Amino acid sequence: MSEMQTWLVLGASSAIARAFARAAAARGADVILAGRDTEDLARTAADIAISTGRAAATISFDALDVASHASLVQRLAAVPGVLNVALMFGTMPEQAAIDADPDLALSCIASNFSGAVSILHRLAPLLEARRAGVVIGFGSVAGDRGRLKNYVYGAAKSGLHTYLAGLRNRLGRGGVHVMTVKPGFVDTAMTFGLPGLFLVASPEFVARACLDAAARRKDVLYVPWFWWGIMAVIRAIPERTFKRLSI
Amino acid sequence: MRKAALQLTGWGRGPASSLEATRPERFSEAVAAFSEPVGAHGLCLRGAGRSYGDCALNAGGDALITTRLDRILAFDAETGIVQVEPGVDFRRLLQVFLPRGFLVPVTPGTFFATIGGAVANDVHGKNHEHAGSFCQHVTELDLVLPDGSGRTVTPEDGALFRATAGGLGLTGLITRIAFRMMRVSGGGVTVHEQRANDLEAFLTAMAVSADATYSVGWIDGAAHGTRLGRGILETAEPCDDEISRHRPRELRVPVDFPGFALNPVSIGIFNETYFRRVPEAGRTRPVAWQKFLYPLDAIHDWNRIYGRRGFIQFQCVVPFETGPAALRDLLEVISGSHRASFLAVLKRMGAGRAGYLSFPMPGYTLALDFPRRPGIEELYERLTAITLDAGGRVYLAKDALLDALTFRRMYPEFAGFSEVLASIDASSRMQSDMARRLRLREAP
Ligand SMILES: Cc1cc2nc3c(=O)[nH]c(=O)nc-3n(C[C@H](O)[C@H](O)[C@H](O)COP(=O)(O)OP(=O)(O)OC[C@H]3O[C@@H](n4cnc5c(N)ncnc54)[C@H](O)[C@@H]3O)c2cc1C
């Protein structure tokens, strides 16, 4: 692994992505922070450059603006060494808000699913040609089962899981590893102050777990790990019973 | 931004305040959240919540938590000037800069405190007599005023800077702090520890070693009679040696201790052991920076040992002239109360201060923890009365019980502070539980 590593972090403004970029740079990689608020990303880039001495660049990226994705990928072709991708964006409107405004369902799918597929599918040939690198895609435990409280978001993430599985199959043949991450409760802006959370993980913990698991070439990562058990139980509940639960 | 309904306390725990909080992660979000309309109880700022009392609480009102505004924005190795967002904490600065030979010039005894919080309480360290207070090292601040407008403030700006340094967050949201780091060449300090058998010996030992770069004393708050004021004086000098920087083991207090765990007997035993730990002839040894500056941080959530009801910290400073007699009176009341805990500190302070409401004055500062039990208010009142009579004051970062009148007598520069607040925040948008208790938004 002596070749220069670069992590492209898509949706770099979130707390998890910020922690991930810091951790990746601390382990010796350069980072490219991609997101909408480039002014703010420049602050994170400065922080990373100062604290780790690695190169940290910013690039404008909007998951919903799919028309811009091709030119972004073109620019990334110039990145030397190994290009790794961490896809970490997402939006989680409340189910009640979606029920009141069905358009929200579409934008939720557009950012969590269509936007993700759009950028990853354009990056895939680039990664295939380089025959190296890791792709980390952020799904969610919410994608493991359609639940009353969160099923549009869950459906979008579930779609992403399936897409990532297929991409893993495709890119794995060319030496590129794809890892799906399913975080449980993490202390982020999305979950801040929500009632009913338990065993909440810090963004720094999740970031480290992702890098460790990616180095071990794990396929699907539940983080914290015990969510694997929780979701195994939830998946095992027969639909006949599940449809009456409101979890 | 979505507001979360939270129940928060200060570091001393005790009764919680219900408030509506935001916790912005980006600069633009922070400015927007700060400018959102607020109710009658206004808005309070909060860093890591390491203040013991109620300066970062706002029952029935709003709060903006700064911990996610945590980026280091610039560093100039020539001048040592670092620029940070307010939520950057002392731990991060230690991790990033110590390996490069830079250390914060002034730090509180916990590295979980944020730099924004350090400015708002104009904190001091174990080197106050020589290094002054934190804000004396600040070269520039960016501030969002209560009306939402931005302003860069420097020490030369006078009133607004002096109101913001030690200003308890009441002049608005600090969004950037520039301050000068200090160069250090080695991994830590050479610490000398010596016993002092009573108060007089303690004060003499402190005077003799007044030139020491760092100086801090542990005092046995339970000792009485001929042992009154006994303790251990710790002085330290930076040393050039590479001290093994193995990470101290981190422990966590996993549950709230039951109320009876800390009692006069267990504390008496602890204090006796702690005192005898240092040989009669004293001892000298190298200690890594982290262990020396932040000994308590090795035990996470140590405030839980006081149980659910929490505890109160009393910290005062009394002038050198009246100090010896006042300290004797204070210690007599304390040991007679049989309530003091084992965390007790005695230090000398210098004149360094940067704000109207800064705590320091030349003299002795004494800090002790008391479990929050019935009768604590009376004890606190007796201690503040002795402090006031001696011409001293209590530290607002620790305070939860002072009254508005005593506060005014202890902080003669409050009038200057009030004048600035009246000019930038006539409608009293910035609030806190402490601001209401001490009537900080009312006439001096
Ligand atoms: C174990 C321990 C040891 C300590 N040792 C010392 C010591 O040696 N010396 C010392 O001086 N203090 C000491 N303290 C006290 C501590 O340093 C101060 O209370 C400090 O202010 C805590 O910072 P914080 O980030 O937790 O701020 P908080 O407690 O959350 O807030 C403190 C104040 O800062 C304001 N504030 C926070 N962020 C901003 C911002 N961005 N803009 C404007 N205002 C803001 C808040 O409104 C509040 O008034 C100690 C505390 C502990 C728990």
Side-chain angles (χ1 to χ4, degrees):
Chain A
M1 283 263 288
S2 59
E3 227 186 320
M4 182 61 224
Q5 302 280 326
T6 299
W7 276 98
L8 167 69
V9 183
L10 296 163
S13 289
S14 79
I16 297 179
R18 185 184 295 178
F20 180 86
R22 276 177 175 156
R27 294 184 189 197
D30 286 349
V31 294
I32 301 171
L33 309 175
R36 278 176 303 183
D37 192 345
T38 46
E39 219 168 282
D40 196 75
L41 289 178
R43 290 171 172 249
T44 305
D47 177 276
I48 290 173
I50 293 164
S51 58
T52 66
R54 304 308 317 175
T58 66
I59 194 164
S60 172
F61 166 72
D62 181 350
L64 296 177
D65 184 13
V66 290
S68 69
H69 291 183
S71 67
L72 176 75
V73 171
Q74 239 165 35
R75 289 172 62 192
L76 291 168
V79 173
V82 177
L83 179 65
N84 305 285
V85 180
L87 180 132
M88 303 190 140
F89 56 80
T91 52
M92 189 176 73
E94 272 178 47
Q95 187 64 45
I98 294 177
D99 294 345
D101 175 11
D103 282 343
L104 259 183
L106 299 183
S107 68
C108 177
I109 293 165
S111 63
N112 290 303
F113 181 63
S114 316
V117 171
S118 165
I119 187 66
L120 288 178
H121 225 64
R122 288 173 227 268
L123 279 165
L126 183 69
L127 298 169
E128 262 171 338
R130 296 179 164 222
R131 307 196 62 79
V134 174
V135 176
I136 295 179
F138 260 59
S140 168
V141 293
D144 278 7
R145 191 101 201 223
R147 292 180 304 124
L148 180 67
K149 285 194 176 153
N150 215 358
Y151 62 92
V152 172
Y153 174 76
K157 287 296 190 183
S158 173
L160 183 62
H161 295 165
T162 308
Y163 173 80
L164 289 169
L167 193 67
R168 174 158 44 245
N169 201 320
R170 169 181 162 188
L171 296 186
R173 292 155 206 260
V176 179
H177 181 65
V178 177
M179 180 171 86
T180 308
V181 179
K182 299 183 183 178
F185 296 139
V186 188
D187 186 8
T188 63
M190 250 188 208
T191 61
F192 177 63
L194 288 186
L197 304 190
F198 52 89
L199 297 167
V200 179
S202 72
E204 290 73 25
F205 174 86
V206 172
R208 266 181 277 129
C210 287
L211 282 165
D212 290 344
R216 292 197 314 270
R217 309 231 138 198
K218 203 162 165 62
D219 293 319
V220 179
L221 174 71
Y222 284 89
V223 58
W225 60 270
F226 51 75
W227 280 92
W228 177 87
I230 295 175
M231 294 321 292
V233 170
I234 289 185
R235 275 195 312 267
I237 301 172
E239 192 66 15
R240 207 165 348 101
T241 313
F242 196 80
K243 71 181 182 193
R244 272 177 300 214
L245 301 179
S246 29
I247 51 175
Chain B
M1 269 190 101
R2 187 163 55 83
K3 291 180 183 170
L6 301 182
Q7 302 262 336
L8 298 176
T9 70
W11 184 246
R13 308 184 77 204
S17 294
S18 304
L19 45 78
E20 300 271 315
T22 58
R23 189 184 60 186
E25 299 188 338
R26 306 181 210 171
F27 175 69
S28 58
E29 275 177 2
V31 176
F34 179 79
S35 308
E36 265 173 38
V38 294
H41 277 208
L43 174 68
C44 164
L45 303 172
R46 182 175 170 100
R50 248 57 187 190
S51 296
Y52 286 67
D54 54 4
C55 69
L57 296 173
N58 193 18
D62 286 16
L64 188 159
I65 301 173
T66 65
T67 48
R68 290 282 161 98
L69 304 166
D70 64 353
R71 275 90 43 107
I72 300 170
L73 300 171
F75 178 63
D76 182 340
E78 289 287 304
T79 59
I81 291 179
V82 64
Q83 300 183 37
V84 298
E85 289 188 318
V88 169
D89 62 21
F90 285 91
R91 166 147 80 168
R92 182 107 199 285
L93 294 180
L94 186 78
Q95 282 166 353
V96 170
F97 291 107
L98 188 58
R100 295 192 217 173
F102 287 93
L103 189 71
V104 286
V106 169
T107 177
T110 175
F111 63 21
F112 295 112
T114 66
I115 306 304
V119 171
N121 271 317
D122 193 13
V123 301
H124 58 270
K126 301 174 181 179
N127 55 353
H128 183 265
E129 223 179 340
H130 305 294
S133 67
F134 187 87
C135 293
Q136 292 187 293
H137 301 267
V138 169
T139 55
E140 216 172 73
L141 297 172
D142 279 353
L143 191 62
V144 184
L145 293 174
D147 68 5
S149 63
R151 186 82 72 81
T152 299
V153 193
T154 69
E156 290 71 43
D157 289 338
L160 187 52
F161 186 87
R162 296 188 61 200
T164 303
L168 303 163
L170 296 176
T171 60
L173 176 67
I174 301 164
T175 54
R176 181 183 61 101
I177 303 113
F179 66 98
R180 205 175 305 254
M181 300 275 278
M182 160 179 105
R183 258 176 215 286
V184 288
S185 55
V189 283
T190 308
V191 176
H192 178 69
E193 287 166 293
Q194 64 189 103
R195 289 192 195 173
N197 289 317
D198 58 24
L199 183 62
E200 205 185 322
F202 212 138
L203 300 184
T204 309
M206 285 202 294
V208 167
S209 54
D211 287 341
T213 307
Y214 293 92
S215 170
V216 61
W218 168 81
I219 192 161
D220 181 349
H224 50 86
T226 55
R227 292 166 157 189
L228 187 82
R230 75 165 178 175
I232 290 164
L233 175 62
E234 204 178 287
T235 51
E237 296 301 328
C239 67
D240 292 340
D241 307 353
E242 231 358 272
I243 295 172
S244 80
R245 226 183 285 122
H246 78 261
R247 281 266 215 91
R249 222 152 67 100
E250 294 192 0
L251 304 171
R252 182 174 292 277
V253 177
V255 293
D256 297 338
F257 277 29
F260 56 80
L262 295 183
N263 58 58
V265 176
S266 66
I267 287 169
I269 293 171
F270 175 89
N271 284 2
E272 185 66 25
T273 322
Y274 197 79
F275 182 74
R276 303 222 166 265
R277 176 184 62 100
V278 172
E280 224 165 321
R283 67 173 177 186
T284 302
R285 62 204 169 107
V287 180
W289 279 114
Q290 177 172 338
K291 203 170 161 214
F292 173 67
L293 294 173
Y294 310 111
L296 282 172
D297 288 336
I299 307 170
H300 288 256
D301 301 335
W302 59 260
N303 54 352
R304 302 185 77 168
I305 63 173
Y306 292 96
R308 270 186 189 289
R309 280 185 298 185
F311 65 109
I312 294 285
Q313 182 166 98
F314 168 78
Q315 181 172 2
C316 69
V317 58
V318 285
F320 283 124
E321 307 76 57
T322 53
L327 288 174
R328 182 165 297 279
D329 291 349
L330 289 168
L331 288 167
E332 256 158 22
V333 171
I334 289 162
S335 71
S337 75
H338 301 292
R339 286 164 181 262
S341 172
F342 43 81
L343 293 167
V345 172
L346 179 64
K347 300 187 270 211
R348 281 166 68 101
M349 294 200 112
R353 53 191 280 117
Y356 294 119
L357 300 188
S358 292
F359 169 64
M361 68 165 76
Y364 304 103
T365 175
L366 176 70
L368 288 113
D369 291 349
F370 300 99
R372 197 191 264 267
R373 296 204 192 112
I376 178 73
E377 289 84 0
E378 292 73 34
L379 175 61
Y380 198 86
E381 215 176 294
R382 286 181 73 190
L383 299 177
T384 50
I386 298 171
T387 305
L388 184 64
D389 278 348
R393 62 172 69 103
V394 303
Y395 190 11
L396 300 179
K398 312 290 177 74
D399 173 60
L401 296 175
L402 201 65
D403 63 89
L405 198 62
T406 313
F407 159 76
R408 280 161 173 71
R409 295 197 181 130
M410 289 178 166
Y411 285 85
E413 293 179 55
F414 176 55
F417 180 76
S418 266
E419 202 176 308
V420 173
L421 282 202
S423 73
I424 60 171
D425 188 18
S427 64
S428 295
R429 178 183 166 79
M430 303 309 297
Q431 286 285 352
S432 66
D433 286 354
M434 175 175 276
R436 281 185 288 274
R437 175 168 57 85
L438 299 178
R439 300 209 297 269
L440 299 178
R441 308 305 322 252
E442 293 170 30

